[in-house]
Amino acid sequence: MKMRWKVAVFLAVFILDVLCVKAMYKSYINTKDTLFLPADAGADAKDEVKEQFSGSKQIALTFDDGPHSVYTPRLLDGLRERGVHATFFLLGENVEGKEAIVKQMQEDGHLIGNHGYSHVQMSKESVNTACEQIEENNKQIEAITGVRPQYLRPPYGAWTDELSCTTNMTVVLWNKDPLDWKTQSTKKIVRSITKHIEPGDVILLHDVYPTSVEAALEVIDTLTKQGYSFVTVDELLID
């Protein structure tokens, strides 16, 4: 009886050893082409490996349509507590009466961009009308912050090369859209972002919904534990 027990234990240990060795070999095969570069590897290849294994996973949280009198301050408080900077594309018609909130954004180190004066599809407007909207919003933001916006996000992401009035601005779109305005569900927004996140992503949210603010802060807490860091879009573009 004792002999059978010893044999069973020996076989179990042997099988575990074999499985561990196979797992280690598979990991080696999967990484050897990047981990073990030849001595004459180019700078680009070395930078790629350095980025891959340095733990640098930057993403940008961006918020459109604000400021909101209640939800934007709540978001700013949460970002400040977490030491996170975000990018806000302000809608001109929502700025009036909320100048203190815009000023707080600037003081907290967030990037402030232009989202037009009203939420219209600029590509369907005349060039003059679109340019006037952009310029009007630029002027009011500059009057509050002392800084002229350099980044523009057109509503609906609709943009054409004909809108040459803003050639001195950088148009910023996005590549992750959890449709927060549609679902207005904190749980769904968080799941949509965290399930498909990748380094370098620009996430589109709106700080005019309580569910979006709650989701943004939960996403920060979740992804920070996974090694992600949050930057403004200009920092992401520079890097």
Side-chain angles (χ1 to χ4, degrees):
M1 191 69 171
K2 290 183 179 180
M3 182 59 68
R4 290 181 179 177
W5 180 83
K6 290 181 179 180
V7 171
V9 171
F10 174 80
L11 288 174
V13 172
F14 177 77
I15 292 172
L16 286 174
D17 285 343
V18 171
L19 291 175
C20 287
V21 170
K22 290 180 68 176
M24 291 174 65
Y25 181 75
K26 183 178 180 180
S27 177
Y28 163 78
I29 291 298
N30 289 337
T31 60
K32 69 181 182 66
D33 291 335
T34 53
L35 278 174
F36 305 106
L37 290 171
D40 59 349
D44 290 343
K46 291 179 179 178
D47 288 342
E48 184 178 347
V49 171
K50 182 179 179 181
E51 176 69 16
Q52 184 176 354
F53 294 98
S54 66
S56 175
K57 299 192 292 186
Q58 295 183 333
I59 52 179
L61 286 174
T62 66
F63 298 90
D64 289 6
D65 294 358
H68 188 278
S69 58
V70 175
Y71 306 132
T72 303
R74 187 182 301 174
L75 174 60
L76 292 176
D77 289 343
L79 295 174
R80 193 181 313 112
E81 291 172 3
R82 293 162 174 78
V84 167
H85 292 153
T87 302
F88 292 85
F89 291 100
L90 305 185
L91 201 60
E93 62 185 10
N94 287 339
V95 170
E96 186 176 354
K98 306 181 188 73
E99 292 83 358
I101 297 176
V102 177
K103 190 65 177 175
Q104 188 63 57
M105 286 179 186
Q106 182 192 39
E107 292 176 356
D108 287 353
H110 303 295
L111 180 65
I112 299 175
N114 190 326
H115 196 44
Y117 193 84
S118 59
H119 207 279
V120 298
Q121 189 168 329
M122 293 181 182
S123 60
K124 292 185 177 180
E125 299 290 318
S126 70
V127 172
N128 286 340
T129 299
C131 290
E132 287 172 1
Q133 280 223 15
I134 294 166
E135 182 58 22
E136 185 176 2
N137 199 15
N138 274 342
K139 286 181 177 178
Q140 73 171 351
I141 292 174
E142 185 176 11
I144 298 169
T145 65
V147 179
R148 185 176 177 82
Q150 298 297 313
Y151 296 88
L152 170 71
R153 173 172 286 167
Y156 310 105
W159 191 249
T160 66
D161 292 337
E162 294 178 359
L163 296 169
S164 56
C165 59
T166 59
T167 52
N168 62 329
M169 299 185 75
T170 300
V171 176
V172 178
L173 299 180
W174 61 88
N175 68 324
K176 285 290 185 298
D177 182 3
L179 300 176
D180 61 322
W181 59 271
K182 184 176 182 179
T183 66
Q184 294 193 41
S185 164
T186 299
K187 184 177 181 180
K188 289 181 179 179
I189 298 167
V190 171
R191 183 170 62 246
S192 175
I193 295 173
T194 57
K195 186 177 180 180
H196 305 289
I197 195 69
E198 294 180 2
D201 280 347
V202 176
I203 302 169
L204 170 63
L205 291 168
H206 301 79
D207 53 318
V208 295
Y209 304 106
T211 48
S212 298
V213 171
E214 294 167 2
L217 299 179
E218 187 174 333
V219 164
I220 291 171
D221 293 339
T222 299
L223 294 183
T224 297
K225 294 177 182 178
Q226 297 178 19
Y228 283 92
S229 60
F230 298 85
V231 297
T232 53
V233 292
D234 57 334
E235 293 175 311
L236 198 62
L237 292 172
I238 292 172
D239 290 343

